[in-house]
Amino acid sequence: MTILLLSRFRIAIKRAKHLFTVYLTVYLTFDPMIATTTDIMAAQTQSNRKNKMMAQTQSDEGKNKEIINEGFAKWASGAGDVFDLLTDDMEWKIIGSSPVSKTYTNRKQFLEEVITPLNERLSVKIVPRVRGIYADGDMVVALWDGTATAKDGKPYNNTYSWYMTMKNGRIVKVVAFFDTIALADLWKRIPVSKQDNK
């Protein structure tokens, strides 16, 4: 409910700023005493274009948010995962100082160098629990917790914040933040041979 109210408040603020900008443009550009109907109509047309663009952006934000939400829901139920939404030429950047912290320039590289070796270290794969999904333009941010069990029987729990850039309903770029110390510990504790990854 709070997120919905904040979203509506943000939309109202954007619209108010826009109307104020139109007012100032007309007022400062034209002397109110000599402003013609054509001048005012031109300002209104410009305002209408901006409103349409803003409505389209809000529509895309909602669609992108829903796509990511569905991806996490499938992952949580075991029917798929968010990685199914990655384009082949996507870019995934892991921030921090873990064994996997770097920029991956395609889906295949990311899955082979991060996801497969991670799953090889787990007896119970990561199950996500979403705290929140937020959208702004073509960017969708997911804050989520992952719970899993490592092959040595110890829990592997982490909190993630992914900043995903969307295009045509697919993920084209991600900047990922999480507890890299927890991941580095898992990586060191449970080594996996390269043969296991194939």
Side-chain angles (χ1 to χ4, degrees):
M1 183 69 175
T2 303
I3 293 172
L4 180 61
L5 291 175
L6 287 174
S7 178
R8 288 183 178 167
F9 179 72
R10 192 177 89 202
I11 292 167
I13 293 296
K14 283 182 181 179
R15 287 184 179 153
K17 284 181 182 177
H18 177 69
L19 291 174
F20 183 71
T21 302
V22 169
Y23 171 77
L24 277 180
T25 301
V26 171
Y27 182 77
L28 295 176
T29 305
F30 313 105
D31 182 335
M33 300 304 284
I34 58 170
T36 66
T37 304
T38 305
D39 295 333
I40 293 171
M41 288 177 62
Q44 286 175 340
T45 301
Q46 183 180 6
S47 172
N48 289 341
R49 279 191 208 123
K50 286 183 181 179
N51 284 339
K52 284 180 185 176
M53 288 174 49
M54 191 165 58
Q56 179 61 43
T57 298
Q58 290 165 357
S59 172
D60 290 346
E61 286 174 0
K63 287 177 189 172
N64 289 338
K65 210 171 145 180
E66 184 59 32
I67 289 167
I68 296 301
N69 203 24
E70 286 175 11
F72 273 101
K74 286 179 182 177
W75 187 3
S77 71
D81 58 47
V82 175
F83 309 119
D84 296 337
L85 297 171
L86 300 175
T87 60
D88 289 337
D89 61 347
M90 67 91 212
E91 179 183 293
W92 191 295
K93 183 174 187 173
I94 297 176
I95 305 299
S97 302
S98 77
V100 296
S101 294
K102 69 177 192 178
T103 300
Y104 300 87
T105 57
N106 62 63
R107 182 180 189 271
K108 183 177 185 289
Q109 178 195 23
F110 172 70
L111 294 177
E112 286 178 356
E113 294 181 25
V114 180
I115 301 307
T116 300
L118 174 59
N119 285 334
E120 288 294 324
R121 290 171 164 84
L122 302 172
S123 59
V124 177
K125 306 296 186 248
I126 296 173
V127 176
R129 185 184 60 79
V130 175
R131 289 193 201 183
I133 296 177
Y134 312 93
D136 187 15
D138 61 358
M139 172 88 56
V140 178
V141 179
L143 176 62
W144 62 281
D145 298 310
T147 57
T149 304
K151 285 193 172 175
D152 62 4
K154 294 181 180 178
Y156 173 68
N157 302 321
N158 214 324
T159 298
Y160 302 82
S161 182
W162 290 352
Y163 296 76
M164 298 166 278
T165 303
M166 305 289 290
K167 184 175 182 182
N168 299 323
R170 302 287 302 276
I171 302 169
V172 296
K173 186 175 182 179
V174 179
V175 178
F177 296 87
F178 55 89
D179 182 354
T180 56
I181 293 172
L183 181 90
D185 177 59
L186 176 70
W187 227 258
K188 183 179 177 182
R189 221 174 57 234
I190 306 172
V192 175
S193 70
K194 292 198 184 254
Q195 229 174 17
D196 291 342
N197 292 334
K198 293 183 179 179

